[in-house]
Amino acid sequence: MARERTESEEYAAPLKRLLLGVLGIFLLGVFLLWRIDSPRVERFRAEVIDRVVPGMDWVMTPVTGAINLVRDFQSYQRLAEQNQELRRELQQMKMWKEAAVQLEQENARLLDLNKVRLDPQLTHVTGVVLADSGSPFRQSLLLNVGARDGIVDGWAAMDGLGLVGRISGVGQNTARVILLTDSSSRIPIRIQPSGQAAIIMGDNTRSPPVSFLESPDLVRPGDRVVTAGDGGVFPPGLLIGQIAADPGGRLRVRLSADYERLEFLRVLRNPGVESITETGGMLVPSSRLQGPPIAAQAQTNEVKSD
Amino acid sequence: MRSKVIERARLQLWAMWSAFLLAALFLLFLSLLPLDTAPALWAGPDLLLALALAFSVRRPEYLPALLLVGVMLLADFLLQRPPGLMALLVLIGSETLKAQSTALRDQNFFMEWLSVSGILVAILLSNRVILAALLLPQAPLGLTLMQSAATICAYPALVGAAHLLVGLRKVTPAEVDGMGRRS
């Protein structure tokens, strides 16, 4: 008996080593393939997640609900304190509401005067947050809407108030949102009263820093930050947050979206920005053209845009 | 008589494989719950990694390489890590621990903890080094250090839990035959 076993072990050991070698090479291959041809592997990843995570949803939702319930319960203990706080805030809000109503009326008047039509193509799909990234190093969410609902990579995701992130990775039933706080997130922004363009770069903190700002002197804490629409990624003018300065003097964006509780997200359908590829055609025969050609071109452009 | 013993051993083996698989899926499930969507200031322990190392050092036969690779690759895909890299490093670390497990069998828990911590730090560090060499974006160093410290601290508790819940025990001398092999 013992002899038989040693023989079988003699075969088993090299076989085991062979299996280990094959496994190791396989994993190395997967990693290198991902490094070389990332989009293909990322598509595969979206596919895998699409299979696995919705299957977990039926347990995930009640567990998340229960834990949130317990957390809410803890906050009930400070009820009186919160009540006071809320009253104070309510007072302030009333003041702001008054200001907002006045501004709204003024805005309506001005819009009417200008005959401005707000972009009617901005419709949205609302999705429920299924899961988060599962690691403290990545900031992303999984939504329960996907290619089935017409979601496309690159669309903007917002909560009720502000921008949350962009779609990156779409499965049949799920889509991943890379949050603005993720360290790979780069969003072109415009800082409102001064109209300066900059980029916010996620760095895994709650308030991403502002980079590539031309003249920081023109920017004050409290300024509104909206998307710039540069590069045609996002529609312009979506609210992101407000400028804040950290103790080191670096400008950061305090995000308007409530990152503590992201439950439902709106994905904005973005039909894409029409790009103008050719210059305007000449309106006058070129033989009669007078003056330098650049001026003439500017003139025709002006005529066109009218 | 003999076949019955073998039958029972095989059943036990299957039970432990599925126990590892279930525990791993449970840990993945926990980490995917959308509870904290704001970036955390601290990083908790990587319990899946600690579980894999505990299995490989305590009972190597309960964690076949194929199962380990399957679970770690799934974790790579689900947790947005570069696929394959972490799985490969964990496989290497686990095999190293398996090779040491016979020597560690007679030592006390502290020695086991020490060698597991060594392997763990080696895995996380080489992960960083490879990512840096390939110019890939990585997590802040502070978070990684915090995570490895937390994982090392969580290891005894995890081993205790595995001992109580799954029955993951070190091989006792009674189970070893005269040749130093397990019966």
Side-chain angles (χ1 to χ4, degrees):
Chain A
M1 209 65 195
R3 186 157 170 71
E4 246 175 59
R5 239 173 90 169
T6 26
E7 265 176 20
S8 72
E9 271 180 14
E10 260 168 35
Y11 286 118
L15 260 182
K16 218 173 199 175
R17 252 183 314 224
L18 185 70
L19 176 70
L20 280 181
V22 169
L23 277 178
I25 290 171
F26 167 70
L27 290 177
L28 194 67
V30 169
F31 177 59
L32 288 180
L33 181 67
W34 174 80
R35 184 72 189 102
I36 296 163
D37 188 7
S38 172
R40 192 182 298 260
V41 181
E42 289 297 335
R43 261 205 306 282
F44 178 71
R45 189 205 291 272
E47 200 91 335
V48 169
I49 291 175
D50 207 48
R51 287 277 159 76
V52 177
V53 178
M56 290 181 180
D57 191 33
W58 61 277
V59 239
M60 253 170 169
T61 314
V63 172
T64 315
I67 293 177
N68 281 337
L69 201 69
V70 172
R71 284 188 182 169
D72 283 346
F73 207 74
Q74 284 170 345
S75 78
Y76 289 153
Q77 291 174 343
R78 318 189 289 117
L79 211 58
E81 205 179 311
Q82 273 182 340
N83 209 347
Q84 287 292 327
E85 250 170 61
L86 287 178
R87 269 170 214 279
R88 261 201 308 279
E89 265 176 44
L90 191 65
Q91 279 302 323
Q92 285 179 342
M93 288 302 144
K94 272 184 185 160
M95 201 178 80
W96 280 111
K97 190 188 160 198
E98 195 51 46
V101 168
Q102 287 177 9
L103 283 176
E104 192 188 2
Q105 288 169 353
E106 189 185 341
N107 196 16
R109 242 186 354 257
L110 292 175
L111 283 180
D112 192 41
L113 282 177
N114 283 331
K115 300 232 182 312
V116 171
R117 210 180 55 173
L118 293 179
D119 197 346
Q121 284 187 311
L122 285 182
T123 57
H124 59 256
V125 188
T126 303
V128 179
V129 173
L130 279 185
D132 65 8
S133 67
S135 98
F137 310 131
R138 285 309 183 100
Q139 308 301 327
S140 66
L141 296 174
L142 207 64
L143 294 183
N144 71 340
V145 288
R148 185 191 52 186
D149 309 277
I151 305 289
V152 171
D153 266 337
W155 282 2
M158 307 183 70
D159 78 342
L161 199 54
L163 187 71
V164 168
R166 63 181 292 195
I167 300 286
S168 166
V170 180
Q172 191 58 35
N173 305 313
T174 53
R176 181 162 294 279
V177 180
I178 301 287
L179 301 182
L180 297 181
T181 48
D182 187 83
S183 48
S184 63
S185 161
R186 305 281 184 272
I187 307 288
I189 58 166
R190 203 162 284 282
I191 299 170
Q192 227 11 297
S194 58
Q196 292 231 47
I199 285 181
I200 53 172
M201 311 171 81
D203 64 346
N204 231 347
T205 61
R206 278 164 197 242
S207 321
V210 177
S211 304
F212 299 110
L213 188 60
E214 198 171 322
S215 38
D217 312 337
L218 294 180
V219 175
R220 297 232 176 87
D223 285 359
R224 266 164 51 92
V225 174
V226 296
T227 53
D230 290 345
V233 179
F234 284 162
L238 303 179
L239 178 66
I240 295 180
Q242 290 184 331
I243 292 285
D246 69 2
R250 185 154 195 213
L251 292 177
R252 290 176 175 271
V253 178
R254 185 172 294 140
L255 299 166
S256 292
D258 182 11
Y259 270 65
E260 298 286 336
R261 288 275 171 93
L262 295 175
E263 287 175 51
F264 301 94
L265 292 187
R266 279 177 188 173
V267 182
L268 297 188
R269 287 180 206 281
N270 186 3
V273 183
E274 282 181 55
S275 60
I276 298 170
T277 50
E278 51 191 34
T279 54
M282 290 295 176
L283 293 182
V284 287
S286 54
S287 56
R288 288 192 206 160
L289 200 68
Q290 281 169 1
I294 293 173
Q297 210 167 41
Q299 197 184 10
T300 47
N301 277 347
E302 225 171 76
V303 170
K304 270 245 153 173
S305 66
D306 272 348
Chain B
M1 183 64 200
R2 175 102 194 150
S3 69
K4 216 170 226 173
V5 171
I6 291 177
E7 190 77 1
R8 197 178 316 144
R10 173 152 301 174
L11 208 64
Q12 166 85 354
L13 209 58
W14 276 100
M16 291 306 270
W17 289 350
S18 36
F20 177 78
L21 189 64
L22 282 181
L25 289 182
F26 177 69
L27 290 178
L28 276 177
F29 165 76
L30 275 193
S31 60
L32 281 175
L33 282 180
L35 289 177
D36 270 318
T37 40
L41 300 174
W42 51 278
D46 189 347
L47 290 177
L48 182 59
L49 180 56
L51 186 75
L53 295 185
F55 262 76
S56 8
V57 73
R58 304 212 125 204
R59 280 302 185 96
E61 73 273 23
Y62 289 159
L63 184 58
L66 211 55
L67 177 62
L68 176 73
V69 164
V71 166
M72 291 318 285
L73 202 58
L74 182 69
D76 277 352
F77 276 120
L78 286 188
L79 302 184
Q80 303 292 305
R81 293 192 295 227
L85 177 60
M86 202 59 179
L88 178 64
L89 294 176
V90 174
L91 178 67
I92 294 172
S94 151
E95 288 304 317
T96 321
L97 276 180
K98 280 181 189 174
Q100 291 176 6
S101 75
T102 322
L104 282 171
R105 195 188 293 159
D106 309 322
Q107 304 277 351
N108 56 8
F109 178 73
F110 185 72
M111 289 305 291
E112 176 194 331
W113 195 12
L114 209 64
S115 53
V116 166
S117 308
I119 294 288
L120 197 125
V121 170
I123 287 176
L124 293 178
L125 270 186
S126 44
N127 186 28
R128 279 195 78 87
V129 168
I130 292 174
L131 287 184
L134 291 178
L135 301 177
L136 287 164
Q138 20 193 343
L141 181 65
L143 277 185
T144 316
L145 290 181
M146 222 183 290
Q147 188 179 43
S148 27
T151 312
I152 289 172
C153 292
Y155 183 75
L158 186 97
V159 165
H163 187 99
L164 289 177
L165 295 177
V166 191
L168 181 75
R169 290 173 180 87
K170 271 206 236 184
V171 181
T172 53
E175 289 174 271
V176 183
D177 66 16
M179 305 285 285
R181 281 190 301 257
R182 283 168 223 134
S183 55

